[in-house]
Structure formats: structure tokens, C-alpha cells
Amino acid sequence: MFVFKKAKPAMFNSEATGSSFKFRQSSKNEQDELELYIRSESEYKNKNNLLADWAMNKESYYAAWLLEDFSGVQDENGNPHGIANFSLADKARLIEKLKETEPKFSSWFTSHSEAAEKKITEVDTHREVVEPGNMQGLQEQ
């Protein structure tokens, strides 16, 4: 049998708005794919404003790139929005608006998009030292 483990998405629940946002896991590969997408849209679909906007708002575009779904987001008439109707630029503007209304989002997203190596904290070495006589497998033979 072939086993494949897909990373679970991360959820951000906005206390200020009551909305929920689901994000894919961050990786170097995701960042590279976003840059490739932006550059190809700019070159092949003549969307130079997208390239400029991305250059000015990289964190918002990266959050928009990882955004898989949301709930609790409405238009001015009170109708719920569907993520399928949002382009990458629309999602980036949504993220900018979220940053304005929810102060905790920026720090949450920064920690979500950190490389795994940065998330590992060092343990104090003085707590890990064990005397050889305390463990039978380490005693001199």
C-alpha cells in the first residue's frame, strides 16, 4: 500500500471579525511557486500591475497564495463571499484588510510561515547532563 501524509491546514480565527481563514502549510517550494506564478502572469498575460503590487506587498500575497478557504466574510450587502470568486490580487487585498482589523494576524502568519528549523527551540544543556552512574547502559564495564 502507498501511504501519503498531507500536511494539515492551519486555521486563523479572527476575534475582531469572527471570520475563519484556512491556510496551507508554508514551504520554500510554495514561495518559489508564487514567484513563478506572479512572473508568468506579468510576462504572458501582461499584468505588470500584479508584479508591482506583489513587490510592494509580498507578505500579503504570500498569505493570499496559501489561503485555501474562509468563512464569515461578507460583501457590503451582507451576502457571504465564496473563495472561488477571488483572484490572487483580491485575496491579497482581503489579507490587507484583515491585517488592519485584526492586529494578531501579522504575528500569527509570520510564525506560520517560518521555516521548520526556526521553530525548533534550543534546550538548556545543563538540564540534559546525566551522570554516567545514573544510567545502567552508560556505566563503565
Side-chain angles (χ1 to χ4, degrees):
M1 175 189 282
F2 181 72
V3 177
F4 177 75
K5 182 180 178 186
K6 184 177 180 199
K8 291 184 180 179
M11 293 294 291
F12 178 78
N13 296 309
S14 172
E15 294 173 6
T17 64
S19 302
S20 297
F21 301 87
K22 182 167 71 169
F23 294 90
R24 285 191 311 277
Q25 289 298 313
S26 174
S27 69
K28 176 71 173 125
N29 192 35
E30 289 285 352
Q31 293 172 346
D32 293 343
E33 287 177 7
L34 171 60
E35 186 170 346
L36 180 65
Y37 174 81
I38 295 287
R39 294 193 185 282
S40 66
E41 288 286 299
S42 171
E43 187 171 335
Y44 298 111
K45 294 189 178 179
N46 200 22
K47 293 186 177 180
N48 291 327
N49 58 335
L50 181 65
L51 182 63
D53 197 32
W54 169 72
M56 299 293 289
N57 303 299
K58 285 190 177 186
E59 183 182 289
S60 296
Y61 270 85
Y62 188 52
W65 181 255
L66 296 177
L67 182 64
E68 285 190 335
D69 201 7
F70 55 75
S71 63
V73 179
Q74 300 176 351
D75 64 13
E76 55 278 347
N77 296 327
N79 299 320
H81 278 298
I83 196 164
N85 299 328
F86 277 60
S87 67
L88 181 62
D90 293 335
K91 290 179 192 177
R93 285 191 293 279
L94 174 67
I95 296 296
E96 285 293 321
K97 191 71 173 167
L98 179 61
K99 285 180 181 179
E100 291 173 12
T101 58
E102 182 62 71
K104 295 178 183 179
F105 176 75
S106 289
S107 60
W108 178 87
F109 186 74
T110 300
S111 70
H112 171 69
S113 60
E114 274 183 342
E117 301 83 44
K118 290 185 179 180
K119 292 181 182 179
I120 298 171
T121 57
E122 286 189 24
V123 177
D124 285 340
T125 54
H126 72 277
R127 293 183 192 171
E128 299 297 316
V129 176
V130 177
E131 294 293 326
N134 293 343
M135 298 181 69
Q136 283 187 336
L138 296 178
Q139 290 180 354
E140 189 174 312
Q141 301 211 8

